[in-house]
């Protein structure tokens, strides 16, 4: 816990530097690209359209929430997943990408994953805006629970940051970690009820639902849908919330411990 407190204090002290580097990292992604920021949304939007055509138009899937078309049920589940997967991928490779900063003795290496996370958060904010516009275009009345998107975005950030400290530290010594993370994220997307509703297993395979809830990201995807679709508040899932934060804190403590244990050797390897 002391490591997490010291990291928090360091982030507060270096907040201006972190903000400036995160903005620079965001801009750097689109340098030399003709369409620039447009590419930021093309692939995710194409993914949403593919699932929409396959599940709603192809399989004629019944919307899990009455009164909402499948695409409005899908988007609140897949938008946080785009953010989580992108941030974890980016944080995993951040030490390799910023190797010239890692080699500087005076630079606090612990803030690099935070910088990458904030850079990805800019993209996520844009997608949240698109999601809100979609709901308004479908004639849905804004609800007070929409504000919870800020809370669940913070929850997704903490989970990806905790995992990112672990994977980024290992990636310095084991370059295959980036590919392993990418593959695990592909599995993780299907181990989270994003494209399908877990109620399809309730009657025949109730154990499957329990296993799905052990995935910490389940809390985030369900939370986004609670906020956007059903109007439920986060405190209405107390056990799930406690489980999520217990797992996230444990992962964060482990990630920071491994990161700081390996940190003295980063400059030698890079």
């Amino acid at each position: 816990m002391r490591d997490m407190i010291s990291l928090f204090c360091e982030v507060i002290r270096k907040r201006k530097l972190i903000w400036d580097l995160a903005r620079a990292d965001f801009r750097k992604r689109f340098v030399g690209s003709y369409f620039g920021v447009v590419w930021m949304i093309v692939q995710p939007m194409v993914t949403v359209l593919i699932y929409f055509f396959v599940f709603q138009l192809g399989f004629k899937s019944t919307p899990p929430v009455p009164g909402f078309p499948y695409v409005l049920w899908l988007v609140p589940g897949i938008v946080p997943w785009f953010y989580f997967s992108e941030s974890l991928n980016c944080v995993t490779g951040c030490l390799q990408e910023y190797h010239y900063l890692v080699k500087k003795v005076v630079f606090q290496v612990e803030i690099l994953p935070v910088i990458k996370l904030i850079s990805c958060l800019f993209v996520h904010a844009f997608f949240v805006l698109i999601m809100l516009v979609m709901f308004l275009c479908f004639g849905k009345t804004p609800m007070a629970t929409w504000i919870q998107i800020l809370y669940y975005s913070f929850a997704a950030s903490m989970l990806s940051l905790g995992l990112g400290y672990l994977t980024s530290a290992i990636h310095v010594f084991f370059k295959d970690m980036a590919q392993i993370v990418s593959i695990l994220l592909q599995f993780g997307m299907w181990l989270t009820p994003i494209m399908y509703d877990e109620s399809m297993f309730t009657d025949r395979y109730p154990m499957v639902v329990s296993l799905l809830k052990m995935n910490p990201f389940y809390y985030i995807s369900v939370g986004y849908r609670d906020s956007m679709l059903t109007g439920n508040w986060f405190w209405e899932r107390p056990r799930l919330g406690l489980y999520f934060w217990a797992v996230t804190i444990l992962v964060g403590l482990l990630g920071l411990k491994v990161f700081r244990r390996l940190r003295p050797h980063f400059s030698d390897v890079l």
Side-chain angles (χ1 to χ4, degrees), residues 172-192:
V172 173
F173 306 92
F174 183 61
K175 298 299 185 292
D176 293 336
M177 177 54 67
Q179 284 70 37
I180 293 174
V181 167
S182 181
I183 292 172
L184 290 177
L185 284 171
Q186 293 182 45
F187 279 105
M189 187 173 186
W190 290 101
L191 292 175
T192 308

Side-chain angles (χ1 to χ4, degrees), residues 71-90:
V71 68
L72 285 190
W73 179 84
L74 172 65
V75 168
I78 206 169
V79 163
W81 180 260
F82 285 151
Y83 169 54
F84 175 74
S85 58
E86 182 193 20
S87 59
L88 185 55
N89 275 320
C90 289

Side-chain angles (χ1 to χ4, degrees), residues 112-253:
L112 285 177
V114 179
I115 290 168
K116 272 295 183 182
L117 184 74
I118 295 175
S119 176
C120 295
L121 193 58
F122 293 151
V123 181
H124 179 59
F126 187 76
F127 275 104
V128 168
L129 180 61
I130 292 177
M131 178 177 66
L132 296 177
V133 171
M134 282 183 62
F135 273 72
L136 295 175
C137 289
F138 272 87
K140 302 303 177 183
T141 304
M143 296 184 294
T145 52
W146 285 13
I147 195 67
Q148 285 184 143
I149 296 300
L150 297 175
Y151 163 72
Y152 286 109
S153 296
F154 173 75
S157 300
M158 294 301 99
L159 180 61
S160 61
L161 186 63
L163 289 169
Y165 274 111
L166 178 64
T167 58
S168 62
I170 297 174
H171 182 254
V172 173
F173 306 92
F174 183 61
K175 298 299 185 292
D176 293 336
M177 177 54 67
Q179 284 70 37
I180 293 174
V181 167
S182 181
I183 292 172
L184 290 177
L185 284 171
Q186 293 182 45
F187 279 105
M189 187 173 186
W190 290 101
L191 292 175
T192 308
I194 294 174
M195 271 75 67
Y196 60 89
D197 185 27
E198 70 267 21
S199 61
M200 63 189 294
F201 301 109
T202 303
D203 296 331
R204 298 182 61 185
Y205 307 105
M207 183 61 70
V208 173
V209 178
S210 300
L211 292 174
L212 290 175
K213 291 182 179 181
M214 292 181 67
N215 177 358
F217 196 83
Y218 175 90
Y219 176 69
I220 297 168
S221 63
V222 170
Y224 266 69
R225 285 178 174 143
D226 284 346
S227 303
M228 299 300 299
L229 301 175
T230 61
N232 295 106
W233 294 95
F234 70 91
W235 57 76
E236 295 179 44
R237 296 181 182 270
R239 293 177 60 185
L240 201 59
L242 289 173
Y243 171 76
F244 170 82
W245 284 112
V247 171
T248 300
I249 291 172
L250 287 174
V251 168
L253 291 173

